Amino acid sequence: MQFIFNKIFNVCIFTLCLILCMVQGCVQNTATKNEAGKVLFAEHIAPIIHKNCSMCHIDGEAGPFNLITYNDVARKAKLIEYVTSNKIMPPWPADANYTHFTNETVLSDDEIKLIKSWVADGLLPGDTAHLMPPEQLKKELRLGKPDLIVKLPKPFKLPGNNVDLFLVVKIPYEIPNDTFVRAIEFVPGNKRLVHHMNAHLLQYDAHNKANLFDGNYFVNQDQSNSLKLHQQLNLMQDDGSYPAMTPSVCNYLPGAQFSFYPKEIGGYKITRKGAFYLNDLHFGPSPYEALDSSYFKIYYSAIPPKRPVSEFQIGTLGIAQVEPKLIVPANEIKTFHIQFTVPQDISVISMVPHMHLIGKSYWAYAIKPSGDTIRLIRIPRWDFRWQYFYQPKTLLKIPRGSIIYVEGVYDNTAGNPNNPFNPPRLIMEKNGSMRTTDEMFQFIVTYVPYQKGDEAISLEGVEP
Ligand code: HEC
């Protein structure tokens, strides 16, 4: 119904725009006079759209249509008014009244009002001639050409059986010399289907890995335990030891933005022989067969890594358990906790809250030994579709001995529109199964050991 309504609306708006454009063409001068004191696209609306929407609503990204030019936006104006005033777009599940993060996309009440007034004033364009050309909004131009492209040796064939697919994937590469990297970008081959991806970088000892390209490239997450899975992928070095690993060098979710480590931390080392290890490449259900050839773009750096980044994971499959066991009986709303004592002073770089479909709310904070609270993140309405890697604006210190508390509420009633079962069924954590219809409760933190002055190191707009 909503869909049909949207369609009709879009057609109307489109026609209206056509008429407006035609009228404007004939009486250009009057139109400019009419604009005095009114809300204008170029002056007021474009900056809001370009900052909060275009990175997803641009060719090649997750948004279903472009939102860049006057015409793009005017054509969808009513729908944009609707999704912004109902806070459906831009997606930003974290509570911006609790903590702020880099790349935060939240519209202020004033910005939402401006959009409303622009629609009410008749979608006036203003001085669109001086807007930034659409190409400049693409991140590629900011970064330049990648130094290396690492792709799957062959495309992966999705079976088209309409179920979620979770793969563990190895993408090996070999380069002439060891070097340093400032940024890695994941480019999903099939944007409609690639849901999320989490990649670690394996660094082989060049003399201890004769053939990087042996073994499978893909293993279905559900089919194997992790040791068997590593053997199938032939991840180990020739002497049976594991290679060095830099965790979470690249993460992808629809709309995820680029981030660089600040120069005080540096990039990472990338060895002559290595592999990306995607311990989770998730494809959403697809009713048709499709091919995916996702790849990585790699940007080299002249700056050697200064401080190695580490990661810990608490909750499901992590170093601290979910209490009580993550079992949510049908027709119940239940709360679970994770508690973890931080063993050393750390500086947090990013945090990832994770739950599946029946997650309802999420809240993480730390209590220092002094009794003070450090706010981490609160997500009042969990939305499985928008899971971000949240980065604080500056490195965030958590002192040794602090206790991190995470609270997750799960709603397994029929009243939860995201409940995968109707009528509701018992849902639980199953041995770390990542199937969306089972549950998970995790908090993943990347950090460096704390050093004096870290609080002043900004993570915002960090470019090489
Ligand atoms: C993180 C990426 C992302 C950002 C940022 C984003 N969108 Fe979207 N948008 C999407 C995706 C993906 C969809 C497809 C529908 C869905 O999955 O909800 C969508 C759908 C829409 C729709 C269609 C809704 C419908 O019911 O058909 C509108 C309108 C829209 N976005 C407007 C905006 C506006 C306006 C902004 C900025 C204020 C914005 N979006 C920011 C990703 C994004």
Side-chain angles (χ1 to χ4, degrees):
M1 180 62 200
Q2 173 75 21
F3 177 71
I4 296 171
F5 176 72
N6 286 349
K7 275 277 174 253
I8 294 173
F9 229 11
N10 290 346
V11 172
C12 296
I13 290 291
F14 185 58
T15 324
L16 187 73
C17 287
L18 274 183
I19 296 169
L20 269 179
C21 296
M22 281 153 64
V23 171
Q24 242 185 306
C26 322
V27 283
Q28 193 66 47
N29 290 336
T30 340
T32 328
K33 252 185 230 155
N34 280 347
E35 290 180 346
K38 300 250 170 84
V39 180
L40 306 175
F41 179 76
E43 287 74 3
H44 308 108
I45 302 302
I48 301 173
I49 301 286
H50 292 170
K51 176 167 178 281
N52 298 285
C53 322
S54 305
M55 65 283 202
C56 293
H57 288 272
I58 192 165
D59 289 338
E61 291 300 332
F65 40 78
N66 284 0
L67 291 179
I68 299 164
T69 63
Y70 171 79
N71 284 338
D72 295 339
V73 179
R75 201 174 284 159
K76 298 280 181 192
K78 264 286 169 191
L79 197 54
I80 290 172
E81 182 182 1
Y82 174 81
V83 294
T84 50
S85 49
N86 287 285
K87 310 208 165 163
I88 298 166
M89 287 281 150
W92 187 261
D95 180 355
N97 293 318
Y98 189 66
T99 37
H100 291 293
F101 297 97
T102 63
N103 294 331
E104 190 167 276
T105 48
V106 178
L107 300 189
S108 67
D109 292 344
D110 287 345
E111 288 171 324
I112 295 169
K113 263 193 226 139
L114 269 178
I115 293 173
K116 272 185 185 299
S117 311
W118 179 60
V119 176
D121 284 356
L123 312 177
L124 297 171
D127 181 15
T128 51
H130 293 102
L131 284 178
M132 190 192 285
E135 304 75 46
Q136 263 183 35
L137 290 162
K138 295 201 174 184
K139 55 188 168 196
E140 222 167 78
L141 283 183
R142 265 178 30 219
L143 280 172
K145 258 176 90 104
D147 297 293
L148 175 69
I149 289 192
V150 174
K151 50 170 94 151
L152 284 166
K154 56 176 198 283
F156 179 75
K157 191 163 167 203
L158 290 151
N161 54 359
N162 230 343
V163 298
D164 284 290
L165 190 58
F166 293 87
L167 298 178
V168 180
V169 183
K170 170 187 75 172
I171 311 185
Y173 68 86
E174 194 164 354
I175 50 177
N177 297 300
D178 292 358
T179 182
F180 311 122
V181 165
R182 63 186 161 105
I184 297 177
E185 182 190 9
F186 176 75
V187 183
N190 198 317
K191 292 209 166 67
R192 300 243 167 270
L193 295 177
V194 175
H195 185 276
H196 79 253
M197 187 288 305
N198 174 226
H200 311 293
L201 184 64
L202 303 180
Q203 292 139 322
Y204 289 98
D205 181 353
H207 304 292
N208 199 0
K209 188 73 179 170
N211 195 345
L212 267 176
F213 297 87
D214 270 353
N216 294 345
Y217 294 112
F218 315 97
V219 179
N220 199 322
Q221 177 90 45
D222 285 346
Q223 279 170 3
S224 215
N225 70 37
S226 66
L227 179 65
K228 230 166 89 196
L229 192 143
H230 293 164
Q231 284 165 346
Q232 284 170 343
L233 293 169
N234 191 18
L235 292 186
M236 280 79 132
Q237 313 210 75
D238 294 339
D239 67 1
S241 64
Y242 274 99
M245 181 171 99
T246 308
S248 295
V249 290
C250 181
N251 298 300
Y252 172 84
L253 280 159
Q257 294 213 41
F258 237 116
S259 56
F260 299 94
Y261 291 144
K263 61 181 185 316
E264 294 86 346
I265 290 177
Y268 3 86
K269 184 172 172 180
I270 179 166
T271 45
R272 189 159 77 75
K273 287 183 180 179
F276 287 96
Y277 169 51
L278 285 56
N279 70 348
D280 191 3
L281 173 61
H282 174 192
F283 292 98
S286 165
Y288 50 87
E289 279 191 7
L291 287 177
D292 180 69
S293 29
S294 298
Y295 61 95
F296 291 92
K297 287 182 182 170
I298 297 166
Y299 301 86
Y300 291 161
S301 161
I303 309 173
K306 292 183 185 153
R307 297 171 64 183
V309 173
S310 309
E311 173 179 286
F312 65 77
Q313 179 173 317
I314 57 179
T316 309
L317 297 174
I319 51 176
Q321 302 311 305
V322 179
E323 297 284 346
K325 259 180 154 9
L326 186 52
I327 299 172
V328 197
N331 303 309
E332 283 191 23
I333 297 177
K334 264 189 89 165
T335 303
F336 299 86
H337 293 96
I338 312 167
Q339 234 188 71
F340 175 65
T341 306
V342 179
Q344 57 173 326
D345 288 355
I346 61 169
S347 294
V348 175
I349 298 172
S350 78
M351 40 195 149
V352 183
H354 185 60
M355 307 201 269
H356 287 174
L357 292 169
I358 61 163
K360 183 180 164 69
S361 65
Y362 193 103
W363 184 19
Y365 55 92
I367 306 280
K368 293 198 228 177
S370 65
D372 291 343
T373 302
I374 303 170
R375 294 175 174 198
L376 297 174
I377 183 163
R378 185 153 68 192
I379 300 180
R381 266 186 301 154
W382 175 259
D383 189 331
F384 178 73
R385 286 176 315 158
W386 308 114
Q387 301 194 40
Y388 292 110
F389 299 83
Y390 292 94
Q391 282 198 306
K393 297 211 166 201
T394 52
L395 286 181
L396 176 67
K397 180 181 179 185
I398 305 183
R400 174 184 164 176
S402 302
I403 302 176
I404 295 180
Y405 292 94
V406 192
E407 180 187 285
V409 180
Y410 292 78
D411 179 352
N412 195 5
T413 65
N416 177 354
N418 298 318
N419 198 324
F421 301 114
N422 183 15
R425 279 189 222 165
L426 179 130
I427 294 182
M428 58 190 281
E429 178 188 300
K430 279 192 192 143
N431 223 349
S433 150
M434 294 193 183
R435 230 188 313 256
T436 44
T437 50
D438 297 328
E439 269 305 331
M440 289 181 87
F441 182 28
Q442 287 182 322
F443 191 51
I444 303 165
V445 175
T446 54
Y447 67 93
V448 285
Y450 174 78
Q451 279 177 11
K452 201 156 173 271
D454 274 358
E455 295 88 340
I457 296 179
S458 169
L459 293 170
E460 213 158 16
V462 177
E463 296 261 341

